[in-house]
């Protein structure tokens, strides 16, 4: 009995085609219910011959498919002509209604079968997307693992080579740690999100906590926005380490953020860094900064002031996702 119920459930939801026997049994049940409904209506309107069979055709087609729908429509038509309740008898008008009944039933069967085909195709595509998503996650996890191992190897090799050159190592070490921290952070926040302050500390910490100040209230970021801001903060921090505030002994960074309604504004201010005399052609990093927040109805404006780089990031805060 449990197996039969499970087969019926899968067939009704379109997960698997039901057996022919079960489909025929369901069609017979639909015809029986329709005939009982017709008998009940006959006490009020004896000339209702085919109307109760339309739902039977619909449900039988939805469950059993095209063949079962056609059989149900044909049998319903025969019952409508041959079964008489009360003093009614078959005449030309009834045969005219039979033709109309079969025409409407044909349209019903076509519509339901078309919907079943679309549903089957949708389920097939959905299953394929789920399989591809699982494969993508497996591949990303493996790549992250390999990248982490490679960064650790590069870090160890450079540390061994530069043991006698501490000044050079002091400049390289924070950048390598920042890269590793960013990779770990993205893998974590891509699933659960994080607080913006924790995000900034993770990105900027390798450059020294005395080199930056953070101003703003606690704000939890959903995963997609957290990953996007993480990439942007990493790009800005990397540039600060190469050309900006973190590349100068007295350079400082101040990051502040405010929330107004569902809008987030983040201000990145560098001071006491090298003077910017010439701005190079926009590269990938600049394009990333200008386009990354478009998915959140936002933008980033970068200005090169005498005091250092100034960037304002604005975006919508998604409620979830």
């Amino acid at each position: 009995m449990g197996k039969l119920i499970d087969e019926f459930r899968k067939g009704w939801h379109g997960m698997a085609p039901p057996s022919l026997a079960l489909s025929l049994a369901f069609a017979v049940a639909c015809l029986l219910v329709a005939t009982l409904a017709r008998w009940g209506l006959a006490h009020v309107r004896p000339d209702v011959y085919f109307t109760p069979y339309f739902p039977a055709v619909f449900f039988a087609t939805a469950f059993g498919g095209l063949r079962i729908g056609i059989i149900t429509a044909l049998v319903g038509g025969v019952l409508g002509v041959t079964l008489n309740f009360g003093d009614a008898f078959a005449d030309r008008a009834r045969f005219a209604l039979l033709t109309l009944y079969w025409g409407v039933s044909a349209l019903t069967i076509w519509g339901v079968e078309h919907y079943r085909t679309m549903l089957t195709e949708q389920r097939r595509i959905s299953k394929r997307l789920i399989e591809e998503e699982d494969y993508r996650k497996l591949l990303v996890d493996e790549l992250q693992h390999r990248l982490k191992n490679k960064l650790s190897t590069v870090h160890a090799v450079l540390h061994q080579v530069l043991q006698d050159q501490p000044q050079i190592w002091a400049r390289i070490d924070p950048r390598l740690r920042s890269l590793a921290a960013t990779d770990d952070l993205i893998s974590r926040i891509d699933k659960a999100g994080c607080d913006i302050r924790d995000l900034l500390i993770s990105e900027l910490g390798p450059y020294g906590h005395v080199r930056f100040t953070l101003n703003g209230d606690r704000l939890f970021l959903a995963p997609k926005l957290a990953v996007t801001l993480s990439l942007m903060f990493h790009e800005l921090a990397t540039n600060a380490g190469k050309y900006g505030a973190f590349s100068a002994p007295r350079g400082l960074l101040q990051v502040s953020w405010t929330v107004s309604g569902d809008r987030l504004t983040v201000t990145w201010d560098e001071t006491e860094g090298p003077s910017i005399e010439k701005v190079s052609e926009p590269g990938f990093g600049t394009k990333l900064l200008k386009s990354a927040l478009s998915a959140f109805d936002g933008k980033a404006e970068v200005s090169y002031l005498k005091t250092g780089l100034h960037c304002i990031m604005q975006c919508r805060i998604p409620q979830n996702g």
Side-chain angles (χ1 to χ4, degrees):
M1 187 63 182
K3 184 178 179 181
L4 184 64
I5 294 175
D6 185 61
E7 182 183 356
F8 179 84
R9 180 183 62 82
K10 290 182 178 179
W12 183 253
H13 290 287
M15 300 170 62
S19 63
L20 180 61
L22 182 60
S23 299
L24 289 173
F26 184 77
V28 170
C30 290
L31 288 169
L32 179 61
V33 172
T35 303
L36 290 175
R38 181 187 165 200
W39 173 79
L41 290 173
H43 293 83
V44 182
R45 290 289 301 272
D47 57 346
V48 177
Y49 309 116
F50 304 104
T51 303
Y53 295 109
F54 286 122
V57 173
F58 176 85
F59 286 111
T61 307
F63 182 74
L66 179 65
R67 293 181 302 171
I68 300 300
I70 293 174
I71 293 173
T72 305
L74 292 174
V75 175
V78 172
L79 292 175
V81 172
T82 58
L83 283 182
N84 294 309
F85 297 107
D87 299 331
F89 61 92
D91 54 8
R92 292 182 178 179
R94 189 181 301 196
F95 284 102
L97 291 174
L98 174 63
T99 304
L100 182 62
Y101 160 75
W102 275 338
V104 176
S105 294
L107 290 175
T108 302
I109 293 170
W110 175 83
V112 173
E113 186 63 18
H114 181 67
Y115 174 78
R116 280 168 53 90
T117 303
M118 291 177 59
L119 182 62
T120 301
E121 180 66 13
Q122 185 181 17
R123 288 184 181 276
R124 185 188 67 81
I125 295 175
S126 178
K127 181 180 179 182
R128 189 185 68 182
L129 289 176
I130 292 174
E131 292 174 351
E132 291 181 355
E133 179 66 15
D134 291 339
Y135 175 74
R136 184 192 68 84
K137 289 181 179 179
L138 178 64
L139 187 62
V140 169
D141 290 341
E142 177 63 20
L143 289 175
Q144 287 178 343
H145 176 68
R146 293 190 180 189
L147 180 60
K148 186 176 182 179
N149 288 340
K150 287 182 179 180
L151 280 175
S152 299
T153 302
V154 170
H155 188 273
V157 171
L158 287 176
H159 184 256
Q160 183 178 11
V161 172
L162 298 175
Q163 281 183 347
D164 299 331
Q165 303 181 54
Q167 292 182 345
I168 298 178
W169 173 247
R171 296 183 61 184
I172 294 177
D173 181 52
R175 296 177 186 178
L176 290 176
R177 292 182 183 276
S178 178
L179 283 173
T182 299
D183 293 335
D184 291 339
L185 183 66
I186 289 177
S187 64
R188 285 188 283 109
I189 66 179
D190 187 39
K191 300 176 181 178
C194 70
D195 188 88
I196 189 172
R197 181 177 292 272
D198 297 334
L199 177 61
L200 284 164
I201 291 175
S202 178
E203 292 288 352
L204 304 176
Y207 296 95
H209 289 266
V210 297
R211 305 292 298 274
F212 64 89
T213 57
L214 305 178
N215 298 315
D217 297 330
R218 286 283 181 179
L219 174 64
F220 182 82
L221 301 174
K224 291 182 180 179
L225 180 57
V227 171
T228 301
L229 289 177
S230 173
L231 295 173
M232 298 179 71
F233 292 155
H234 177 72
E235 181 64 27
L236 289 169
T238 301
N239 289 338
K242 291 180 179 179
Y243 321 109
F246 292 156
S247 67
R250 299 177 58 186
L252 297 173
L253 167 67
Q254 179 173 301
V255 183
S256 58
W257 61 92
T258 58
V259 177
S260 178
D262 65 342
R263 303 291 298 181
L264 169 66
T265 301
V266 182
T267 303
W268 178 287
D269 271 315
E270 297 181 25
T271 56
E272 301 295 333
S275 60
I276 303 174
E277 298 179 355
K278 183 180 179 181
V279 180
S280 60
E281 291 294 326
F284 174 78
T286 303
K287 294 178 180 178
L288 170 69
L289 292 174
K290 291 185 176 180
S291 63
L293 291 175
S294 60
F296 304 95
D297 301 326
K299 61 180 180 179
E301 298 178 353
V302 180
S303 303
Y304 299 95
L305 308 178
K306 292 183 178 181
T307 54
L309 184 141
H310 176 77
C311 179
I312 298 179
M313 293 160 273
Q314 297 178 330
C315 67
R316 173 180 51 83
I317 303 175
Q319 296 300 318
N320 45 44

